[in-house]
Amino acid sequence: MNPGSERVERLWAVDALRGLLLVLMALDHANLFIARHHSSGEYWGGPFPAYKSALPFLVRFVTHLCAPGFFVLMGAGMALLSRARRRQGWTVWAVTRHFLLRGLLLMALQLLVINRAWELLPGGWGIQLYVGVLFALGGTMILGSVLWGLKPAYLLALAGLLTIGTELLAPHPDQWGTEMGVLRLVWLVPGGRHLWDGGPWLWVNYPILPWLELVVLGLAFGGWLAKDARRAYRRGLVIGVGCLAAFALVRSLGGFGNLRPPMGDTWIDWLNVVKYPPSIAFTLLTLGLNGALLWLLARLGPLGQRAARPLAVVGRAPLFFYAAHLLVYLALGYLLAPQGTSIPRMLPLWLLGLLILYPLCRWYARLKQRQPARSLLRLF
């Protein structure tokens, strides 16, 4: 295989994984907007989600892959893009400025656009300022803009320090409900600040630092991809299997790395881990599964790639899909299930939403591809 075709294959697998994660994310939000059976959130404190049957848990569990995958793939994309732009003659500052601008754009989109969509949630929203995944992606991209030139070994060491450090700095579950400073919430601890009458004016699901470790890992993985894609995929599989084994160990011990021990002794309790902030157990489990999925996608032959082509198309327009899917599933919920519905009846509507979104993503990906490298549209 010549270098050109290897590069196409590498980007296809990354795009396909990103597309798969977007499709699973859409399932999670269809569950919220249409079925209205969404999890209350796997937080470091407070009530923890409990499931009486496997289906509601599995619908939520598969979507846990999404956020970690987005942060890792964003880091990998930063590494690949920085190398490509440097070969085109961009200066270090030009590359860094690109990431700074895109990071600021993501944060602004969260606060000015995406939050307006969340306010249309059935049953009301009530939060004046929400810090969600786009805000954290933007914040970690800004921090990563000064890290993309580091060697993979240094990046891995930094990711390890961040993982352990943020776990040690996480509060004890007994502190749930304690008012915390705004900076601590935005940077470190999920939670909220409330008005005098008890209503939340700020709620943070994705503080920046606990998710930075995944972007740093992605920067290292992107460096491996740039050198040898096939070897990087194999390395990702080996690391993924190691992460799953480490997850089993951390979960069985039930102490450090879990933030909260298992709530019971069933297989659901075993896999029901703290996501906000990402506990070490959560990170190991989701990284392991993402690594295996990326390897499997990279191993697909021509027939498999043809079947999975819609995933790659969606994966090339992630930000467009994210913004559009909120409106699509909100509309489907209001029009076709105004009182909510069961999860089995929600699933066809989830697929209907994907059928609506696919041609839109294909159009947008082609439009974006035709733009010059320094076009403003390339920031989206």
Side-chain angles (χ1 to χ4, degrees):
M1 179 178 295
N2 62 55
S5 61
E6 183 175 272
R7 176 174 172 78
V8 171
E9 177 191 11
R10 177 191 71 208
L11 294 177
W12 183 92
V14 171
D15 285 340
L17 178 59
R18 189 186 297 110
L20 175 61
L21 297 177
L22 288 166
V23 166
L24 293 177
M25 177 195 66
L27 173 63
D28 190 47
H29 293 154
N31 195 30
L32 172 63
F33 298 145
I34 299 173
R36 305 188 190 179
H37 290 286
H38 193 265
S39 164
S40 58
E42 302 79 8
Y43 290 97
W44 58 270
F48 206 71
Y51 299 90
K52 296 181 180 179
S53 61
L55 181 60
F57 171 73
L58 291 174
V59 168
R60 175 63 175 172
F61 175 76
V62 296
T63 66
H64 283 338
L65 301 177
C66 302
F70 293 151
F71 283 93
V72 171
L73 292 180
M74 186 183 78
M78 291 173 66
L80 293 168
L81 182 65
S82 62
R83 285 164 172 77
R85 294 296 180 260
R86 290 288 284 153
R87 287 195 298 269
Q88 293 173 6
W90 285 33
T91 65
V92 171
W93 166 241
V95 174
T96 300
R97 182 180 57 191
H98 175 85
F99 293 140
L100 289 173
L101 290 174
R102 183 173 173 85
L104 290 171
L105 175 64
L106 290 172
M107 298 170 83
L109 284 174
Q110 174 75 67
L111 300 177
L112 302 177
V113 178
I114 301 302
N115 283 1
R116 304 291 79 78
W118 286 117
E119 290 171 359
L120 301 174
L121 188 69
W125 182 239
I127 300 171
Q128 296 186 20
L129 185 62
Y130 174 60
V131 175
V133 66
L134 282 190
F135 189 95
L137 283 166
T140 53
M141 177 172 280
I142 289 172
L143 296 177
S145 68
V146 298
L147 301 174
W148 59 266
L150 294 179
K151 295 181 179 179
Y154 297 147
L155 291 167
L156 292 175
L158 177 58
L161 291 174
L162 286 168
T163 301
I164 296 172
T166 52
E167 186 94 6
L168 290 173
L169 293 172
H172 191 274
D174 291 342
Q175 294 180 265
W176 183 259
T178 303
E179 289 286 307
M180 299 183 184
V182 172
L183 288 179
R184 190 181 184 197
L185 290 170
V186 172
W187 282 99
L188 191 62
V189 182
R193 292 279 294 182
H194 296 76
L195 297 172
W196 63 272
D197 62 354
W201 73 269
L202 168 69
W203 189 264
V204 178
N205 264 356
Y206 291 88
I208 293 172
L209 285 181
W211 295 94
L212 179 61
E213 64 199 50
L214 295 167
V215 176
V216 174
L217 284 173
L219 287 169
F221 188 71
W224 295 335
L225 280 173
K227 290 184 177 180
D228 188 332
R230 289 184 176 181
R231 185 179 180 185
Y233 291 139
R234 291 195 298 268
R235 184 178 289 179
L237 176 65
V238 171
I239 292 174
V241 172
C243 284
L244 292 176
F247 163 77
L249 176 62
V250 168
R251 201 63 173 151
S252 63
L253 295 176
F256 179 77
N258 289 274
L259 291 182
R260 301 172 69 152
M263 299 292 108
D265 56 4
T266 68
W267 66 270
I268 291 179
D269 295 316
W270 178 263
L271 295 175
N272 197 14
V273 291
V274 175
K275 177 182 178 181
Y276 305 107
S279 63
I280 290 177
F282 174 88
T283 300
L284 291 171
L285 176 60
T286 54
L287 277 181
L289 294 175
N290 271 299
L293 284 172
L294 182 61
W295 179 80
L296 286 172
L297 288 168
R299 296 281 295 177
L300 291 178
L303 195 60
Q305 288 192 14
R306 193 175 302 115
R309 181 177 177 272
L311 295 178
V313 171
V314 169
R316 294 188 188 108
L319 191 54
F320 178 85
F321 181 96
Y322 184 84
H325 95 283
L326 293 176
L327 299 178
V328 167
Y329 287 106
L330 276 167
L332 290 175
Y334 277 114
L335 294 174
L336 302 180
Q339 304 302 320
T341 186
S342 65
I343 292 178
R345 291 182 177 180
M346 173 272 296
L347 294 175
L349 297 180
W350 164 57
L351 295 175
L352 174 60
L354 296 178
L355 290 175
I356 295 171
L357 289 162
Y358 173 72
L360 298 176
C361 290
R362 184 174 58 183
W363 164 80
Y364 183 80
R366 289 176 176 174
L367 174 66
K368 183 178 176 181
Q369 190 64 33
R370 291 197 295 266
Q371 305 304 310
R374 294 182 185 270
S375 168
L376 180 62
L377 192 61
R378 284 295 186 101
L379 292 173
F380 289 87

